[in-house]
Amino acid sequence: MSTEKSVWRRAYEWHEQRLPIVSFLDHSIGTKYPAPKNLNYFWNFGSLALFMLAVMILTGIFLAMNYTAHKDMAFDSVERIMRDVNFGWLIRYMHANGASFFFIVVYVHIFRGLYYGSYKAPREVLWWIGILIFLAMMATAFMGYVLPWGQMSFWGATVITNLFSAIPVIGDPIVTFLWGGFSVDNPTLNRFFSLHYLLPFVIAALVFLHIWALHIPGSNNPLGIEAAPADKIPFHPYYTSKDAFGLGFFMLFYFAVVFWAPNAMGHPDNYIPANPLVTPPHIVPEWYFLPFYAILRAIPDKLLGVVAMFGAILVLFVIPWLDTSRVRSASFRPWFRVFFWLFVINAVVLTWCGAQLPEGLPLIQGRIATIYYFVFFLVIMPVLGWIETPKPLPASISTPVLKPAE
Amino acid sequence: MANTAPVHHAGDGETRRDFLLHSTIAFGAVGGAMAVWPLIHSMNPAADTLALSTTEFSLASLQEGQAITVVWRGKPVFVRYRTQAEIDAARNVTLTELVDPAPDADRVKKDKDKYLVLVGVCTHLGCIPLGNKPMDPRGDFGGWFCPCHGSHYDTSGRIRKGPAPANLAVPPYQFLDDTTVRIG
Ligand code: HEM
Ligand code: FES
């Protein structure tokens, strides 16, 4: 009697033999996936990013049911979502602020990787896919911000698409191609909506590759050393519960902003319908683009400014080779740690500069910060690896805990 | 079963089979590119967008010193009836001083040089410069001033200061009669 399987168990096994999806998940994020036992809360941000992607796709699909991608109707359709559609205000505020929180999470995730050396061998391809996701997110958020067709939507789209006109010879045909006309207009809005709907699913596919690439070497950890099998614990239930706790904490902040300060990160000018004949006096992109906007404006030459702005992101692809240190974690690199935190402060300074008018003090500060941004990657990373003496690494993850260093 | 593998002629490099393989790949690639082109080209301006390419307007009510803005291809076009002082200012510059050297005479129609017709889009990143309305700032050179990143244009619409790389563009236009202009 006791050996007899229940009908549910038999149905489950019948199905698993044909499509082993439960075993697959169990090996990916379940009891069969071993993770280092010393992961700290910075390792929460990967699953938080996945959560935000799901929130964006879900809220986006419902917004799209009430949104009209036409230059004469887009602005009003968004206002209708805000005023007349049941819970439309909630769905839109979750989506608009969700983009900001998605970027907060991903920026912490990237800085985590920089601090703990997660970009180094054998995780270079994993790092590359992460940068591709970041690029796709920026494209998605940029095109999403155009959809409400307010003044900032329109002029942000104009300035950013015009960046491509800096390319010699083929620049202007490219811009006309991007617009589908001779200025940002209805064809531009339509294609941006189409691509804004598409790209999140491209991101989802990239996330799949990202996690696949993660599973080959497994997670890095705060010590940056290889984790022995004895130092690993199953992902479920240990990290599923830790991630769930972190998610609850994160949602307190996210929904505090959604309910009590939903426009704090937006720009009031975007509640003015787009007017192609009047440029607002001061165009600022969304906050998550400000550091790169500051780099663009720090350089007085149009082409070089555009090159520096894209270079600021593309340089991330080669840092596995720019960083010559064999030690991963900054915890064991006394000098790298100093330059890392300077880099974080520098990023905040760039963000601030990007929101100011590019003249006087902010311009000079923007230039200094731009120089440090590139010096950090192109000079400090390679040189420090040679001249810095790292602290001794522990023999294993357990060693410092069981036998504390004298 | 045993004789499926090709006999490789050592030394003569390419076999018939290689040739077939490479030409198949080449045809596939060309065919693929040809199939993608309609998709790409569908994103370029459509026939109805191109059909809106001309605009006509009248200068009859424009007074000396005044400027108007007309819309051409969704973009503003600045039309300014320049004063003699503004024309002189535009003409009395040494061309070598200019970022994008162009004589004023080449930027207006002969005998109509008091009328300056320009595409009102900053050549930096596409903002609309100020200077067409009476109360607008006109920049250090009395023409237009772009507030986005601080470009100054002179009374011929030439870039004099700031990040913009080129002069405000002169659109293709012609005088249909003394006061009627067609752009495009
Ligand atoms: C990576 C995921 C996504 C990001 C980062 C993102 C970002 C944005 C941003 C920043 C806006 C402008 C918000 C505003 O100020 O109003 C927006 C609007 C919009 N998005 Fe998304 N989005 C994402 C996914 C999606 C998806 C999957 C859909 C549809 C299936 C969608 C549909 C819409 C619609 C219809 C609007 C216009 C309504 C509005 O402005 O609130 N989004 N998106
Ligand atoms: S767009 Fe005019 S100065 Fe940048």
Side-chain angles (χ1 to χ4, degrees):
Chain A
M1 230 11 213
S2 60
T3 53
E4 185 135 322
K5 290 175 180 164
S6 74
V7 64
W8 297 118
R9 181 79 210 167
R10 291 217 308 280
Y12 164 74
E13 281 171 6
W14 180 90
H15 192 269
E16 278 294 290
Q17 273 161 8
R18 284 154 185 81
L19 181 71
I21 187 159
V22 176
S23 321
F24 174 76
L25 288 176
D26 198 37
H27 278 97
S28 315
I29 48 167
T31 57
K32 303 275 164 31
Y33 177 54
K37 63 182 178 184
N38 59 336
L39 300 186
N40 61 27
Y41 272 107
F42 284 110
W43 266 261
N44 245 211
F45 286 80
S47 69
L48 288 181
L50 189 61
F51 171 77
M52 281 320 300
L53 179 62
V55 168
M56 295 310 284
I57 291 182
L58 200 67
T59 52
I61 286 173
F62 286 89
L63 283 176
M65 293 179 191
N66 285 295
Y67 171 78
T68 311
H70 187 282
K71 65 171 177 157
D72 297 331
M73 290 178 262
F75 186 89
D76 290 343
S77 77
V78 172
E79 283 310 302
R80 184 178 157 272
I81 291 173
M82 295 301 289
R83 294 157 199 241
D84 296 339
V85 174
N86 302 328
F87 288 112
W89 59 272
L90 177 63
I91 299 173
R92 171 156 185 258
Y93 279 155
M94 280 179 68
H95 196 79
N97 289 288
S100 282
F101 276 86
F102 199 178
F103 275 94
I104 293 174
V105 165
V106 166
Y107 279 134
V108 175
H109 191 67
I110 295 174
F111 278 118
R112 185 278 317 258
L114 281 178
Y115 186 87
Y116 294 112
S118 301
Y119 49 88
K120 292 184 200 186
R123 295 184 183 81
E124 301 93 324
V125 174
L126 170 61
W127 175 255
W128 284 348
I129 297 171
I131 302 163
L132 290 179
I133 293 173
F134 179 48
L135 286 169
M137 271 178 70
M138 299 214 280
T140 308
F142 161 66
M143 291 193 272
Y145 193 64
V146 176
L147 301 184
W149 211 241
Q151 270 293 66
M152 278 298 159
S153 300
F154 185 89
W155 290 102
T158 299
V159 167
I160 301 298
T161 47
N162 262 310
L163 292 178
F164 292 91
S165 70
I167 303 170
V169 188
I170 54 165
D172 286 326
I174 288 183
V175 175
T176 304
F177 169 75
L178 293 176
W179 288 339
F182 304 104
S183 58
V184 173
D185 207 335
N186 199 44
T188 326
L189 176 59
N190 268 298
R191 64 191 56 193
F192 278 16
F193 183 48
S194 170
L195 295 174
H196 184 69
Y197 209 134
L198 167 72
L199 276 183
F201 296 94
V202 173
I203 294 176
L206 287 171
V207 168
F208 178 80
L209 294 181
H210 193 67
I211 295 176
W212 187 4
L214 168 69
H215 279 65
I216 307 298
S219 291
N220 186 22
N221 64 78
L223 297 179
I225 57 177
E226 296 304 325
D231 284 329
K232 288 186 173 181
I233 50 177
F235 192 83
H236 180 72
Y238 294 101
Y239 286 117
T240 41
S241 48
K242 186 169 179 171
D243 280 357
F245 177 74
L247 175 63
F249 199 71
F250 167 78
M251 283 202 280
L252 287 179
F253 289 95
Y254 173 33
F255 284 101
V257 172
V258 167
F259 288 122
W260 288 298
N263 290 306
M265 288 184 276
H267 197 291
D269 275 19
N270 224 25
Y271 285 103
I272 304 170
N275 180 352
L277 298 184
V278 179
T279 309
H282 184 198
I283 299 179
V284 273
E286 292 284 86
W287 71 265
Y288 35 80
F289 294 132
L290 290 175
F292 303 105
Y293 197 56
I295 291 175
L296 167 76
R297 300 189 306 177
I299 294 168
D301 180 88
K302 178 171 164 179
L303 178 60
L304 289 181
V306 174
V307 168
M309 185 183 79
F310 284 107
I313 298 167
L314 298 183
V315 70
L316 293 173
F317 279 106
V318 289
I319 64 167
W321 297 275
L322 288 176
D323 189 338
T324 51
S325 171
R326 306 283 275 287
V327 176
R328 289 198 193 96
S329 172
S331 307
F332 299 102
R333 300 185 58 192
W335 280 106
F336 182 78
R337 203 157 58 177
V338 174
F339 289 115
F340 170 84
W341 286 112
L342 277 177
F343 183 78
V344 174
I345 296 168
N346 192 64
V348 175
V349 171
L350 276 176
T351 308
W352 177 80
C353 292
Q356 311 304 311
L357 285 169
E359 52 200 22
L361 190 63
L363 182 60
I364 297 173
Q365 255 164 340
R367 289 191 173 148
I368 296 172
T370 301
I371 291 171
Y372 184 73
Y373 185 98
F374 286 104
V375 165
F376 176 76
F377 290 120
L378 299 176
V379 180
I380 295 176
M381 273 200 167
V383 172
L384 211 56
W386 294 107
I387 59 175
E388 181 185 45
T389 318
K391 291 195 229 160
L393 295 174
S396 77
I397 290 177
S398 309
T399 324
V401 184
L402 300 178
K403 279 191 286 162
E406 296 89 70
Chain B
M1 283 291 145
N3 54 10
T4 47
V7 186
H8 212 284
H9 303 286
D12 69 353
E14 192 136 328
T15 62
R16 274 163 66 96
R17 192 161 287 213
D18 286 336
F19 174 76
L20 283 176
L21 180 69
H22 293 145
S23 34
T24 309
I25 292 173
F27 269 87
V30 171
M34 284 167 68
V36 168
W37 175 242
L39 300 178
I40 306 269
H41 196 45
S42 78
M43 290 177 69
N44 273 321
D48 62 335
T49 312
L50 292 171
L52 293 176
S53 302
T54 62
T55 301
E56 278 176 34
F57 62 94
S58 162
L59 295 171
S61 59
L62 195 62
Q63 303 292 315
E64 185 169 330
Q66 280 186 335
I68 52 169
T69 304
V70 293
V71 180
W72 173 61
R73 289 171 157 186
K75 298 194 252 220
V77 168
F78 296 159
V79 184
R80 192 187 277 190
Y81 185 160
R82 299 188 292 179
T83 61
Q84 194 54 46
E86 288 174 332
I87 299 175
D88 293 343
R91 303 243 147 139
N92 296 335
V93 216
T94 1
L95 288 186
T96 46
E97 275 175 35
L98 299 174
V99 182
D100 180 6
D104 182 64
D106 289 1
R107 299 173 56 77
V108 289
K109 298 276 186 238
K110 203 162 178 300
D111 302 327
K112 295 281 186 189
D113 59 4
K114 52 191 183 184
Y115 294 115
L116 181 63
V117 181
L118 301 169
V119 176
V121 174
C122 182
T123 57
H124 182 226
L125 294 175
C127 293
I128 311 294
L130 300 170
N132 249 25
K133 296 206 192 76
M135 301 307 289
D136 279 354
R138 290 186 163 185
D140 296 355
F141 298 87
W144 288 268
F145 170 70
C146 182
C148 287
H149 317 94
S151 290
H152 300 251
Y153 296 92
D154 68 10
T155 52
S156 188
R158 292 170 300 198
I159 179 66
R160 301 296 288 274
K161 190 175 153 193
N167 303 333
L168 291 178
V170 179
Y173 69 96
Q174 64 195 82
F175 279 86
L176 299 180
D177 58 45
D178 222 29
T179 52
T180 314
V181 176
R182 180 166 70 201
I183 312 181

